[in-house]
Amino acid sequence: MSKVFIALQTNDDTRSIIQAILADNPHAIANEQPAMVKIDAEGSLVVRRSSIEDLIGRDFDLQELHINLISLTGHVDETDDELTLSWNT
Amino acid sequence: MDMKVSKKKLGLKEKYQHMTRGLGWETTYQSMDEVFPYAKYEGIKIHDWDKWEDPFRLTMDAYWKYQAEKERKLYAIIDAYAQNNGHLSVTDARYINAVKLFLNGISPLEYMAHRGFAHAGRQFPGVGPRVACLMQSLDEIRHAQTQIHSLSNYNKYYNGFHEYRHMLERVWYLSVPRSFFDDAITAGPFEFMVAIGFSFEYVLTNLLFVPFVSGAAYNGDMGTMTFGFSAQSDEARHMTLGLEVIKFILEQDPDNLPIVQQWIDKWTWRGYRVLTLVGMMMDYMLPKRIMSWKEAWEVYFEENGGALFKDLARYGIRPPKWLDQIEQDKDHISHQAWATFYNYAAACNFHTWIPTDDEMDWLSQKYPNSFDKYYRPRLEYWREEAKKGNRFYNKTLPMLCQTCQIPMIFTEPGDPTQICYREVDYKGNKYHFCSDGCKEIFEHEPEKYIQSWLPVHQIYQGNCFNEGVDPTAEGFDPLAAVLDYYHLNFGRDNLDFEGSEDQKNFDAWRGMATKNT
Amino acid sequence: MGVAAIKEYAFESADRLENFHGNQLLYIGWDKHLMFCAPFCLPLPPAMRLGDIIEKVLPGVFGYHPDFARIDWSKVEWLKSGQPWRADFDKTLAELGLKHKDVLRFQTPDLNGIKGSAS
Ligand SMILES: [Fe+2]
Ligand SMILES: [Fe+2]
């Protein structure tokens, strides 16, 4: 199966986001590189608003991701609650 | 009078619908074909522009909000970096040459991308892609501006940053990135989108902005790290747009497939050639290395690109051509490129050098099949000669590839000891190429590439001297005249790093920063 | 194939012979000596003898290489556009039938670059 990834800057805002992603995607693997974290996952990866909100204790708009996002791959499906990356194969 | 008003907030999808659709209309004073004159001539057939979906569903209001936040963050860091003499905290002054190459060779492409997306957006009859192109056009001018702002800090202290705009249209090696973008922007709007939006943004920019920029951070360059990641945060959106363009075009009409496939082949190859520069920056110009070019290529091109093309197979798209050659080249191109700039260091606006022993060992380890066998011997020879005061400066102009405009430095697939020569006769003239890829691209559109402004030929035609210079005068020095035309200061901007003004200044200033005397 | 365009699209070659002030371009590469990163491009008068090019021009071009002084020019093998080619040092470029933008390669079978690495 193909891998998708999302890469985020390493900073205080993304700490909880990364934590939430890893909790919601047990199959995902975080690779730490200078100033960034790249999260790889077989098949698909989901970023869930509610999981992030639970960790940061405030409302979170998924589009806030854009501020610290470095890169990603896969087809993007974004709703108010979830952002999903996936390949069709 | 208790009326319960249920104030239902629009969901993301509905909001996006309202903020994009309905903004366009069928024109009546002029025909749609006249208002959008470039929409059809490339042969791409679109039946329903409303099928366009922007996966991020970013609307203009949200766009301004998040971009403003990114800018505030970026400038806070750039200011702090400048206020703290951040330039003295980079690993060593050789690193700064990578940043020079970035400003001279890459930032101007951001500006060209801004123009290209504005143009493509204007030409698409559909509202969805128009809005997406508009945002990307704004992103790209932001990238050009933030890079120029960040790097202007280095221009206060170091040579080679001063005339990037002037040099772009003149200096020999800059014709490579420049002609790449000129080629894209002079194509039609659909080809431009496949070229830049898909092939470059989706397949290739990760290699530029992710490992290289992470490397900048590793080498203490917070300025570059910041603008790099800030640009790349837009890039995630651009990549998504690039992929959407492909899906949209292919779903509209089966006749679109062969046209798109040919563009993917062409632009992956064109972009890959330009990235040779980045390969060299990663392997030779970052004093502290995080990842070799080859490793980055494997992660970001082979693994990601592989997944992408496997996915697109359902539309009938196959992986880009010449992948077998690309696969072999990854052991070689960064070394071949560095040797080229070492050869022509007298005509460059940045410095080159021989890697240290440690660095050569790192290269051997990362390139076990190629470095010791083919590249170490020449570097060691040059080092010995330089010690004797005989540093190699190649003074004869090289043969260039008609398509990518890179000197003919690339070797035959399967034989790293043999330069790859290809040629075509077209209307009574000969044209030469570095590879099957560049040759086939030429053969597809010869009328376009016979116009190439090849720096070497232009110099020999006498077009690269300042006005009033007489090349027939006694004692005429062509190299000096060309460097004048480039606005390149001999002895300051060019030659070896060893003994350069940059090296001396950096050492002196760093000494002042860490000692009291 | 042709360029997709909205109107007629035809141009002259930017590098046609008449733009070079009486010279023609000759490309020349030395196989297995990649210390010179690419073959060279030289603007030369068609009336120049090949022997003069070898004696007067090439030392400035390839002379930095320690193998250059060891070349036995009588044993050098030549290729034109990749095909074996008979050199005649007494003839001029025009007499040899070398045209604008032709490419020559020469091979020195006993000399294979720095430490035999093709550098
Ligand atoms: Fe950009
Ligand atoms: Fe090429």
Side-chain angles (χ1 to χ4, degrees):
Chain A
M1 211 193 293
S2 298
K3 270 189 202 162
V4 293
F5 80 75
I6 186 165
L8 296 160
Q9 293 194 46
T10 310
N11 60 31
D12 222 50
D13 289 339
T14 58
R15 203 151 34 90
S16 316
I17 300 173
I18 292 162
Q19 208 182 326
I21 295 173
L22 293 175
D24 287 337
N25 301 274
H27 64 302
I29 295 161
N31 294 301
E32 290 188 29
Q33 287 164 24
M36 61 176 266
V37 177
K38 177 168 177 271
I39 304 173
D40 297 299
E42 293 279 340
S44 69
L45 184 101
V46 59
V47 184
R48 216 163 268 141
R49 182 170 61 93
S50 59
S51 313
I52 298 170
E53 288 179 342
D54 285 348
L55 286 170
I56 62 176
R58 66 164 174 89
D59 288 348
F60 183 81
D61 185 330
L62 276 179
Q63 293 197 326
E64 287 180 50
L65 273 177
H66 284 293
I67 297 166
N68 293 302
L69 183 62
I70 292 173
S71 187
L72 51 75
T73 48
H75 299 286
V76 175
D77 185 28
E78 192 189 29
T79 66
D80 292 285
D81 301 318
E82 282 182 356
L83 178 123
T84 310
L85 303 176
S86 65
W87 290 119
N88 286 315
T89 41
Chain B
M1 298 269 274
D2 268 340
M3 265 196 13
K4 271 249 165 21
V5 184
S6 62
K7 249 181 47 191
K8 193 173 162 282
K9 225 178 122 195
L10 289 178
L12 198 57
K13 286 185 188 179
E14 296 150 290
K15 196 170 143 202
Y16 174 73
Q17 277 295 325
H18 284 292
M19 298 289 276
T20 53
R21 304 308 192 263
L23 293 175
W25 65 93
E26 286 281 319
T27 58
T28 50
Y29 293 173
Q30 296 288 333
S31 73
M32 286 292 273
D33 282 349
E34 282 196 80
V35 176
F36 298 102
Y38 298 157
K40 289 179 180 159
Y41 82 91
E42 296 173 270
I44 294 291
K45 296 175 185 154
I46 303 297
H47 306 288
D48 183 2
W49 283 99
D50 275 341
K51 286 275 154 46
W52 173 275
E53 270 284 335
D54 186 338
F56 272 125
R57 303 197 176 89
L58 200 63
T59 51
M60 223 53 214
D61 56 333
Y63 175 79
W64 291 128
K65 182 172 140 195
Y66 293 120
Q67 294 304 88
E69 204 160 323
K70 286 183 196 172
E71 289 285 273
R72 273 193 296 273
K73 255 183 84 165
L74 173 83
Y75 281 100
I77 297 172
I78 290 173
D79 285 348
Y81 187 68
Q83 285 159 2
N84 279 300
N85 278 327
H87 66 99
L88 293 176
S89 61
V90 303
T91 36
D92 78 56
R94 291 178 304 163
Y95 166 77
I96 293 160
N97 292 287
V99 193
K100 292 178 195 177
L101 204 45
F102 204 104
L103 177 72
N104 282 284
I106 296 167
S107 304
L109 301 191
E110 302 276 18
Y111 183 72
M112 289 304 284
H114 153 69
R115 294 182 56 191
F117 281 99
H119 173 69
R122 163 64 183 83
Q123 295 303 334
F124 285 133
V127 177
R130 233 144 81 197
V131 171
C133 284
L134 169 66
M135 283 184 207
Q136 181 154 357
S137 175
L138 292 168
D139 290 340
E140 300 297 0
I141 200 165
R142 180 177 98 83
H143 300 170
Q145 289 170 340
T146 53
Q147 287 167 27
I148 292 162
H149 286 157
S150 313
L151 296 175
S152 67
N153 186 41
Y154 286 102
N155 182 43
K156 293 178 193 160
Y157 304 101
Y158 304 100
N159 297 318
F161 289 96
H162 58 297
E163 289 252 33
Y164 68 94
R165 176 68 191 80
H166 175 88
M167 291 185 184
L168 180 72
E169 291 175 2
R170 293 167 179 79
V171 174
W172 61 279
Y173 77 90
L174 292 172
S175 82
V176 174
R178 178 187 168 219
S179 62
F180 168 82
F181 237 97
D182 284 357
D183 191 356
I185 210 169
T186 50
F190 287 104
E191 183 177 349
F192 178 81
M193 290 301 284
V194 174
I196 305 302
F198 178 75
S199 297
F200 200 67
E201 296 278 355
Y202 206 98
V203 186
L204 301 166
T205 48
N206 269 324
L207 281 153
L208 172 61
F209 279 105
V210 186
F212 176 74
V213 169
S214 180
Y218 200 43
N219 282 278
D221 183 1
M222 242 175 20
T224 298
M225 187 245 341
T226 305
F227 79 64
F229 282 159
S230 189
Q232 188 64 27
S233 69
D234 298 339
E235 232 61 69
R237 199 157 19 80
H238 301 170
M239 290 166 58
T240 313
L241 171 66
L243 184 53
E244 180 55 33
V245 167
I246 292 286
K247 290 196 289 187
F248 172 70
I249 298 176
L250 293 173
E251 281 169 8
Q252 284 292 312
D253 198 292
D255 289 352
N256 294 339
L257 176 64
I259 304 175
V260 170
Q261 181 71 58
Q262 194 270 329
W263 286 339
I264 289 176
D265 293 342
K266 167 181 172 183
W267 287 100
T268 305
W269 184 259
R270 296 280 278 120
Y272 162 71
R273 274 294 188 238
V274 173
L275 284 189
T276 305
L277 274 181
V278 182
M280 163 185 113
M281 285 157 80
M282 286 184 63
D283 282 344
Y284 284 84
M285 302 182 84
L286 297 180
K288 269 166 67 175
R289 289 143 159 88
I290 49 167
M291 193 186 244
S292 67
W293 164 252
K294 182 180 174 184
E295 288 166 327
W297 184 258
E298 286 164 354
V299 173
Y300 291 103
F301 185 85
E302 292 177 7
E303 194 178 298
N304 271 329
L308 167 70
F309 285 104
K310 219 161 94 189
D311 184 274
L312 291 177
R314 69 201 147 102
Y315 295 110
I317 289 286
R318 53 155 178 75
K321 270 189 168 178
W322 309 298
L323 283 190
D324 43 338
Q325 176 173 356
I326 291 178
E327 156 83 27
Q328 297 184 15
D329 278 0
K330 67 187 174 190
D331 276 316
H332 302 284
I333 58 169
S334 63
H335 314 295
Q336 292 166 345
W338 184 248
T340 304
F341 285 102
Y342 190 86
N343 268 240
Y344 292 106
C348 281
N349 54 356
F350 63 94
H351 302 296
T352 45
W353 55 87
I354 296 295
T356 62
D357 284 325
D358 280 357
E359 289 165 348
M360 287 208 227
D361 290 345
W362 183 87
L363 289 165
S364 310
Q365 189 206 327
K366 294 293 181 186
Y367 295 94
N369 304 323
S370 61
F371 184 74
D372 286 346
K373 198 164 170 203
Y374 304 111
Y375 304 106
R376 188 191 275 268
R378 76 184 70 154
L379 291 169
E380 288 181 346
Y381 180 78
W382 284 334
R383 180 169 62 185
E384 287 312 305
E385 290 301 303
K387 269 192 208 145
K388 293 187 241 160
N390 187 30
R391 202 277 195 198
F392 180 43
Y393 288 112
N394 190 337
K395 293 188 190 75
T396 314
L397 304 183
M399 176 179 186
L400 306 179
C401 171
Q402 186 77 23
T403 303
C404 69
Q405 308 200 4
I406 298 176
M408 299 262 297
I409 63 172
F410 300 107
T411 44
E412 280 289 350
D415 185 1
T417 69
Q418 177 57 53
I419 294 287
C420 183
Y421 293 83
R422 298 289 182 272
E423 63 177 64
V424 165
D425 287 298
Y426 178 72
K427 290 192 179 168
N429 273 294
K430 253 191 203 320
Y431 298 92
H432 299 272
F433 309 92
C434 71
S435 55
D436 293 329
C438 281
K439 174 171 175 266
E440 197 173 311
I441 291 166
F442 175 93
E443 286 172 315
H444 193 78
E445 295 171 289
E447 290 294 329
K448 190 166 194 181
Y449 299 101
I450 61 172
Q451 304 169 61
S452 294
W453 193 91
L454 298 180
V456 168
H457 296 172
Q458 291 298 321
I459 290 171
Y460 288 148
Q461 288 181 31
N463 297 335
C464 298
F465 308 128
N466 287 327
E467 226 169 292
V469 169
D470 176 12
T472 59
E474 183 100 18
F476 175 71
D477 178 349
L479 175 67
V482 170
L483 296 189
D484 276 350
Y485 166 80
Y486 288 173
H487 291 187
L488 199 148
N489 302 310
F490 193 95
R492 296 181 81 195
D493 301 329
N494 62 351
L495 306 183
D496 203 280
F497 174 74
E498 203 55 50
S500 67
E501 193 174 63
D502 277 5
Q503 181 191 33
K504 286 179 203 145
N505 284 338
F506 184 84
D507 286 348
W509 294 330
R510 177 114 97 183
M512 280 157 62
T514 53
K515 290 186 206 78
N516 278 316
T517 45
Chain C
M1 290 301 288
V3 179
I6 46 171
K7 50 187 171 201
E8 201 206 316
Y9 191 93
F11 293 88
E12 285 199 278
S13 166
D15 297 319
R16 55 196 184 278
L17 181 62
E18 57 265 36
N19 291 352
F20 289 86
H21 313 286
N23 288 325
Q24 68 181 65
L25 296 183
L26 177 71
Y27 302 108
I28 186 158
W30 183 8
D31 279 3
K32 306 276 183 273
H33 288 80
L34 304 189
M35 184 161 99
F36 305 103
C37 61
F40 291 103
C41 175
L42 302 170
L44 299 168
M48 194 164 184
R49 283 173 60 250
L50 182 60
D52 285 339
I53 295 172
I54 290 167
E55 272 165 48
K56 294 177 188 150
V57 180
L58 297 195
V61 175
F62 293 106
Y64 186 87
H65 203 291
D67 282 353
F68 187 76
R70 296 180 211 137
I71 298 177
D72 176 351
W73 286 97
S74 65
K75 292 204 183 121
V76 164
E77 288 160 23
W78 295 85
L79 300 171
K80 181 186 152 192
S81 290
Q83 299 304 314
W85 181 73
R86 262 186 64 98
D88 183 338
F89 295 172
D90 288 329
K91 288 197 169 141
T92 65
L93 297 183
E95 288 162 356
L96 286 165
L98 289 167
K99 300 242 163 51
H100 181 49
K101 296 173 79 183
D102 265 340
V103 58
L104 291 180
R105 287 160 54 187
F106 63 97
Q107 299 175 328
T108 50
D110 310 332
L111 302 170
N112 288 308
I114 307 296
K115 295 181 181 165
S117 69
S119 277

